[in-house]
Amino acid sequence: MRPPDVTTCLVVDDEPRLRRVLVRLLEGDGFMCREAGSGVEALRELEREPVPLVISDLRMPEMDGVSLLREVVHRWPETAVIMVTAVAEVESAVACLQLGALDYLAKPFHLDEVRARVTQALDKRRLILENKSYQLHLEGRVQVQARRIEELFLEGVHALVHALEAKDAYTRGHSVRVANYAVGIARALGFDDEAVNTIALGAELHDLGKIGVSEVVLHKAGKLSDAEYLHIMEHPAIGARILGPLLKDAPIAIAIVRSHHERLDGRGLPDGLMGDAIPVEVRVVSVADAFDAMTSERPYRPGLPVARALQELELGQGIQFDGRVVAAFQHAFPEVADLPIPTPEPRPLRLPARAVDARRA
Ligand SMILES: [Fe+2]
């Protein structure tokens, strides 16, 4: 058996005499050599067992050195190739370097030079391989870190969600249903997975700012005074403020939290945004939110019948709601008898992919 530290070299030349010169020199330096008399033969040898180093003549019948080089670079990228050229072929030699040869030897060559070039080429190869492996491991480490960051973020958000649940049990079921309606609408509108994911996240968290609303006002059974209404309606801005630092790479999710009570006619809160100034993802959640709010039963009032709630959505088209979003809702949930949906299991919260990438960078 060959000792592990012996490097094998494949010498390719159609002239046996020249091949022998190189083989003798390399074997004298501790290499183990294999020989091939043509490019085709060399490929067969490599298919049998790849080698770390190939030294190949440029001009050969059947398959020349350049074609062989291309094949080796493509199929055995970890193999170092040194091309042997005549002095007059320096331009071809440079072309070989561009194709991926690590070095070239001009004939007639001095044995010391061959030694130096071979050592250099193998050093280069080792560095390239080390670098590749480093990058591979680095990528792995970065991925682990990105996952950890995402976990930390989600732990933080879950802590907030639980805090709100303790304060207002209604919000949890509401948020999960709103997310479900919003995902159905988003899919009906043809949004891609990443956008759907962002909408689901924003919808799950849209009422999180109720953490900052007085419990007395939040649970008041009777009619709210103007001041109490305005106090409750601070929740979108509070939620966006709380989640801002956690979700700074997911601006659309934040927009959903801050703007889900905006109206197309500009009479919403907190910014009075109008029409297209309200991102479409937000308009999706507004419709889902309104439908769920209307159809859910609260301790102080029964839920509206589904048909009435659907009618309200239609009447609000172009005024409060985006007509295309209302149509997408009807398309996604066509069976009135199946509405309102039962409260589903919460989807696992996910950071939008772009936000994960931004955190990695
Ligand atoms: Fe809300």
Side-chain angles (χ1 to χ4, degrees):
M1 236 185 61
R2 185 189 332 151
D5 55 342
V6 170
T7 306
T8 305
C9 172
L10 177 63
V11 179
V12 192
D13 201 311
D14 56 319
E15 286 180 49
R17 196 181 47 83
L18 276 177
R19 236 164 41 216
R20 290 309 309 164
V21 172
L22 276 174
V23 166
R24 223 170 296 137
L25 169 80
L26 291 164
E27 283 181 346
D29 276 4
F31 283 85
M32 181 158 154
C33 289
R34 279 155 57 190
E35 296 179 41
S38 70
V40 174
E41 216 177 288
L43 290 181
R44 266 202 302 273
E45 280 294 313
L46 289 170
E47 277 160 9
R48 196 162 62 76
E49 194 186 349
V51 296
L53 178 64
V54 170
I55 301 182
S56 171
D57 193 15
L58 191 60
R59 302 248 169 264
M60 293 181 292
E62 212 179 345
M63 174 190 252
D64 66 5
V66 174
S67 310
L68 173 64
L69 171 65
R70 283 185 209 273
E71 280 285 308
V72 175
V73 167
H74 179 63
R75 294 171 60 188
W76 296 279
E78 296 190 350
T79 293
V81 182
I82 297 178
M83 300 304 293
V84 178
T85 66
V87 172
E89 295 173 323
V90 170
E91 268 177 43
S92 319
V94 172
C96 286
L97 294 183
Q98 282 163 350
L99 285 175
L102 281 194
D103 210 340
Y104 68 91
L105 283 166
K107 279 190 282 196
F109 36 66
H110 300 288
L111 298 184
D112 284 345
E113 196 192 345
V114 175
R115 235 177 234 128
R117 294 292 171 97
V118 166
T119 311
Q120 223 173 48
L122 286 173
D123 279 349
K124 255 193 232 173
R125 171 181 179 270
R126 186 176 44 77
L127 285 175
I128 291 170
L129 292 181
E130 277 173 9
N131 200 16
K132 260 192 204 162
S133 131
Y134 175 75
Q135 280 177 357
L136 211 69
H137 288 114
L138 195 66
E139 175 68 12
R141 280 205 294 273
V142 168
Q143 271 174 9
V144 169
Q145 244 167 21
R147 263 199 301 277
R148 184 67 197 126
I149 290 170
E150 190 177 2
E151 277 166 19
L152 283 173
F153 153 79
L154 293 174
E155 280 167 24
V157 171
H158 276 134
L160 291 170
V161 168
H162 291 146
L164 179 58
E165 272 175 56
K167 182 169 176 166
D168 181 23
Y170 162 74
T171 306
R172 186 66 190 142
H174 168 66
S175 299
V176 178
R177 288 189 304 273
V178 170
N180 228 266
Y181 288 128
V183 165
I185 297 171
R187 293 237 158 88
L189 285 170
F191 285 23
D192 63 22
D193 284 352
E194 194 188 327
V196 171
N197 205 12
T198 305
I199 288 172
L201 180 67
E204 284 259 9
L205 303 175
H206 75 281
D207 272 345
L208 196 95
K210 285 187 178 167
I211 279 183
V213 172
S214 145
E215 266 173 78
V216 176
V217 177
L218 206 55
H219 298 141
K220 183 172 171 183
K223 201 173 167 2
L224 297 175
S225 70
D226 286 353
E228 286 165 340
Y229 175 74
L230 285 176
H231 175 58
I232 282 204
M233 291 310 275
E234 283 173 41
H235 75 269
I238 296 172
R241 225 171 24 242
I242 293 173
L243 289 167
L246 286 169
L247 278 175
K248 63 178 185 307
D249 300 315
I252 291 294
I254 291 294
I256 290 172
V257 176
R258 182 173 176 92
S259 304
H260 68 275
H261 286 295
E262 297 289 354
R263 297 164 50 107
L264 235 53
D265 61 7
R267 289 174 50 232
L269 289 166
D271 301 306
L273 299 180
M274 202 184 264
D276 287 345
I278 308 167
V280 63
E281 295 89 342
V282 175
R283 287 179 252 154
V284 167
V285 175
S286 295
V287 168
D289 182 30
F291 181 80
D292 190 72
M294 287 190 280
T295 52
S296 8
E297 197 174 312
R298 301 303 304 270
Y300 47 87
R301 61 148 174 82
L304 272 190
V306 168
R308 262 297 308 283
L310 289 172
Q311 197 186 11
E312 288 295 324
L313 291 185
E314 275 183 27
L315 289 173
Q317 290 182 92
I319 304 163
Q320 184 173 356
F321 307 118
D322 181 333
R324 281 165 308 166
V325 175
V326 173
F329 179 95
Q330 288 161 343
H331 185 77
F333 301 96
E335 294 298 330
V336 174
D338 294 341
L339 290 172
I341 54 164
T343 305
E345 275 300 299
R347 296 158 51 99
L349 290 181
R350 298 278 336 256
L351 259 188
R354 227 179 296 139
V356 177
D357 289 345
R359 275 151 197 263
R360 266 188 222 177

